[in-house]
Amino acid sequence: MGRWALDVAFVWKAVLTLGLVLLYYCFSIGITFYNKWLTKSFHFPLFMTMLHLAVIFLFSALSRALVQCSSHRARVVLSWADYLRRVAPTALATALDVGLSNWSFLYVTVSLYTMTKSSAVLFILIFSLIFKLEELRAALVLVVLLIAGGLFMFTYKSTQFNMEGFALVLGASFIGGIRWTLTQMLLQKAELGLQNPIDTMFHLQPLMFLGLFPLFAIFEGLHLSTSEKIFRFQDTGLLLRVLGSLFLGGILAFGLGFSEFLLVSRTSSLTLSIAGIFKEVCTLLLAAHLLGDQISLLNWLGFALCLSGISLHVALKALHSRGDGGPKALKGLGSSPDLELLLRSSQREEGDNEEEEYFVAQGQQ
């Protein structure tokens, strides 16, 4: 009877993990292809991003209200001093990362975007070394060389290479390195009380919106105000379809952050990291099959080299965590900037109960 119960528990956990991984894949891969699809007909990616931020803020505010009503515990609200001094740098870096990423879809294929964004781990490691969140080791140097070499091979003589789009997405990856480093430094401050991902999203979105607005006003404001798809619309039906499509992206972005939190909270950050690696493979295969992205043998070899570097980084993190006797505050990202969750800490309460705290920093797109 005991063995049978253990088998049932194992099967149930495996099915639950698979379901959560598939849910994460649906939102993560879905929002990538959604962004590419929408920017083909709607050429205002910064406005699209700002509307997504507004939707995420509304959903996070609603979620906070529901949790507060059910638990009868007030949610954390930062003072203006802490908000502007500690949250603003992270929000600005996150806004630029997401905005430039979406902007790049006007010029690059999904495959080039996926590969280049994977290189964000390279910049995260570099900034972690600069801010002394990581110690310089030979293994980390090997990770950097593998990812950088893989990126070079993937873009070398690519028939669908676009320099402007590549510069945008590479700039987003560079800023993503700053973003995640700042996020880690922010969320390690336990006194702020932002370990819950809903609270983090709630506080980040307004400053992200304001940080992205100047870029929108300069590059898209005039064109959007004179476009028939938005401010000079003549067809109400077309306007509603455009707004509905934009609103859908906001739902996908919120769902991505929440699905990542569910996956990590029910399994582990290592599971999310490994799932993220296979997600990149699935994204490239779908881009080649559905969108006709041209990927040469050299490009595939470069992608494999980059994934080997990311996998090595994940393995090092797993060994480091196990060597410390269990999950602790991680010093870096697991595998990819799309892995919007990091394991914050693990604390024991009254001997038997463990409460794992996680945080999300809106790297959803």
Side-chain angles (χ1 to χ4, degrees):
M1 183 68 179
R3 179 62 181 272
W4 182 84
L6 289 176
D7 291 341
V8 171
F10 175 78
V11 171
W12 168 247
K13 185 175 181 179
V15 172
L16 177 63
T17 300
L18 179 61
L20 292 175
V21 169
L22 292 177
L23 180 66
Y24 161 63
Y25 278 11
C26 288
F27 282 115
S28 184
I29 298 176
I31 197 169
T32 299
F33 283 87
Y34 159 86
N35 286 334
K36 182 61 180 177
W37 165 75
L38 188 61
T39 52
K40 287 183 177 180
S41 57
F42 187 78
H43 298 237
F44 306 103
L46 297 179
F47 177 78
M48 174 187 74
T49 304
M50 291 173 61
L51 191 59
H52 290 176
L53 297 177
V55 173
I56 294 171
F57 177 75
L58 291 177
F59 274 92
S60 59
L62 178 61
S63 300
R64 277 167 51 97
L66 292 176
V67 171
Q68 182 169 324
C69 289
S70 61
S71 64
H72 304 288
R73 295 175 57 186
R75 308 304 304 175
V76 60
V77 178
L78 297 182
S79 65
W80 279 106
D82 286 336
Y83 190 51
L84 296 177
R85 187 175 68 254
R86 301 188 179 187
V87 178
T90 304
L92 179 59
T94 305
L96 291 176
D97 179 12
V98 176
L100 293 180
S101 297
N102 289 341
W103 198 351
S104 69
F105 277 113
L106 290 176
Y107 310 101
V108 301
T109 61
V110 169
S111 57
L112 181 59
Y113 169 83
T114 301
M115 178 62 191
T116 310
K117 282 293 285 184
S118 297
S119 69
V121 178
L122 172 68
F123 298 109
I124 292 169
L125 288 176
I126 293 174
F127 283 106
S128 294
L129 291 172
I130 293 175
F131 287 96
K132 300 186 184 302
L133 299 174
E134 288 276 8
E135 296 178 0
L136 183 61
R137 292 171 290 167
L140 289 183
V141 175
L142 179 59
V143 169
V144 170
L145 292 177
L146 287 173
I147 296 175
L151 179 61
F152 174 77
M153 291 174 63
F154 191 86
T155 57
Y156 183 71
K157 291 186 177 180
S158 175
T159 57
Q160 294 176 300
F161 182 79
N162 181 284
M163 188 62 199
E164 186 176 0
F166 178 71
L168 283 171
V169 70
L170 190 63
S173 298
F174 175 81
I175 296 173
I178 302 175
R179 160 198 179 182
W180 287 109
T181 305
L182 291 175
T183 298
Q184 181 178 341
M185 296 172 67
L186 171 69
L187 274 301
Q188 283 179 346
K189 301 180 185 300
E191 67 272 12
L192 293 180
L194 294 181
Q195 284 75 28
N196 188 289
I198 301 299
D199 293 329
T200 306
M201 287 190 283
F202 176 80
H203 284 86
L204 282 177
Q205 305 313 305
L207 288 177
M208 289 175 63
F209 187 95
L210 294 176
L212 207 56
F213 185 82
L215 276 180
F216 159 74
I218 294 172
F219 292 100
E220 293 182 1
L222 181 60
H223 299 291
L224 183 70
S225 62
T226 58
S227 171
E228 292 185 356
K229 285 195 173 181
I230 294 291
F231 294 141
R232 294 190 64 183
F233 70 95
Q234 298 178 358
D235 185 350
T236 305
L238 176 62
L239 174 66
L240 293 178
R241 286 195 297 272
V242 170
L243 293 179
S245 299
L246 294 172
F247 188 79
L248 173 62
I251 296 177
L252 289 174
F254 180 83
L256 172 59
F258 200 73
S259 64
E260 287 171 336
F261 171 72
L262 285 177
L263 180 58
V264 175
S265 62
R266 296 294 181 179
T267 57
S268 68
S269 59
L270 180 60
T271 302
L272 180 61
S273 300
I274 296 173
I277 294 173
F278 286 101
K279 185 209 70 175
E280 309 292 6
V281 177
C282 293
T283 302
L284 282 193
L285 291 174
L286 287 174
H289 180 70
L290 299 178
L291 303 180
D293 288 7
Q294 300 175 12
I295 307 175
S296 67
L297 177 60
L298 181 64
N299 299 151
W300 278 114
L301 290 175
F303 180 66
L305 191 64
C306 184
L307 281 188
S308 65
I310 296 173
S311 301
L312 176 60
H313 182 54
V314 173
L316 290 173
K317 282 299 174 185
L319 291 174
H320 182 265
S321 177
R322 180 172 296 181
D324 288 345
K328 293 183 180 181
L330 298 181
K331 290 185 178 181
L333 272 181
S335 65
S336 157
D338 286 335
L339 309 184
E340 313 292 350
L341 278 300
L342 295 177
L343 182 60
R344 172 64 178 90
S345 64
S346 179
Q347 299 177 338
R348 295 190 178 272
E349 291 186 355
E350 298 180 359
D352 294 329
N353 297 326
E354 291 187 359
E355 179 183 352
E356 293 180 316
E357 297 177 325
Y358 303 91
F359 60 81
V360 64
Q362 276 310 291
Q364 68 275 7
Q365 300 177 35

